[in-house]
């Protein structure tokens, strides 16, 4: 499946369309298995991890998503996502993608206070990139919270 995610990034339209069709089939046949493969992709190359974040939002976390994940699946996704975050080595753009997904997961679980506590810790970090990540996720979390009120 990793190769399919990489094919989504191909400049060749034929390869990309084939990958999109494969992903749609995987999703329709086994949504839970597809979610697991997306989670595995979070630890891969930057471009693939970023694409997996986009696909997680599209298929499972967006307000227009047709598949609802159970709370336990959301908890597992949250834990895997937190484990995949490397604040020191990953570029800020990938961290932001992961922060988007993380904020949506916490909002769906109705546990935003847990995310806030984590972000408060990060906001005091010595590394500017970590503080930027925390501020970005604060912003996303506030947008998610305000749009659901």
């Amino acid at each position: 499946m990793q190769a399919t995610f990489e094919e989504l990034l191909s400049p060749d339209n034929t390869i990309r369309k084939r990958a999109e069709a494969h992903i749609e089939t995987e999703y329709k046949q086994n949504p839970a298995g597809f979610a697991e493969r997306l989670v595995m992709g979070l630890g891969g190359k930057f471009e693939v991890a970023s694409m997996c974040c986009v696909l997680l939002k599209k298929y499972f976390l967006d307000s227009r998503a047709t598949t609802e994940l159970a709370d336990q699946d959301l908890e597992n996704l949250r834990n895997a996502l937190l484990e995949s975050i490397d604040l020191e080595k990953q570029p800020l753009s990938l961290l932001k993608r992961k922060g988007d997904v993380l904020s949506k997961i916490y909002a769906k679980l109705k546990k935003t206070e847990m995310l806030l506590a984590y972000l408060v810790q990060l906001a005091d970090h010595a590394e500017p990139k970590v503080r930027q990540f925390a501020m970005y996720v604060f912003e996303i979390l506030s947008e998610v919270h305000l749009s659901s009120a």
Side-chain angles (χ1 to χ4, degrees), residues 14-28:
T14 304
I15 293 172
R16 200 172 48 253
K17 283 186 176 218
R18 184 179 62 223
E20 289 170 2
H22 181 76
I23 282 175
E24 280 294 320
T25 301
E26 287 286 321
Y27 168 71
K28 288 176 182 172

Side-chain angles (χ1 to χ4, degrees), residues 6 27 50 95 132:
E6 289 182 24
Y27 168 71
S50 188
L95 293 172
Q132 286 177 313

Side-chain angles (χ1 to χ4, degrees), residues 40-98:
M40 290 187 319
L42 293 173
K45 289 194 268 184
F46 162 72
E47 295 85 0
V48 171
S50 188
M51 179 62 68
C52 288
C53 287
V54 170
L55 294 173
L56 279 167
K57 286 188 339 186
K58 175 184 176 182
Y59 287 105
F60 300 104
L61 301 171
D62 191 57
S63 60
R64 297 165 295 192
T66 57
T67 301
E68 284 287 322
L69 293 175
D71 283 355
Q72 185 59 51
D73 293 329
L74 287 168
E75 293 278 355
N76 293 341
L77 179 55
R78 179 198 64 192
N79 293 337
L81 187 59
L82 285 170
E83 287 177 23
S84 78
I85 292 175
D86 186 339
L87 295 168
E88 293 179 17
K89 293 181 182 172
Q90 293 173 338
L92 185 58
S93 56
L94 176 57
L95 293 172
K96 286 180 174 183
R97 289 252 190 231
K98 290 182 177 187

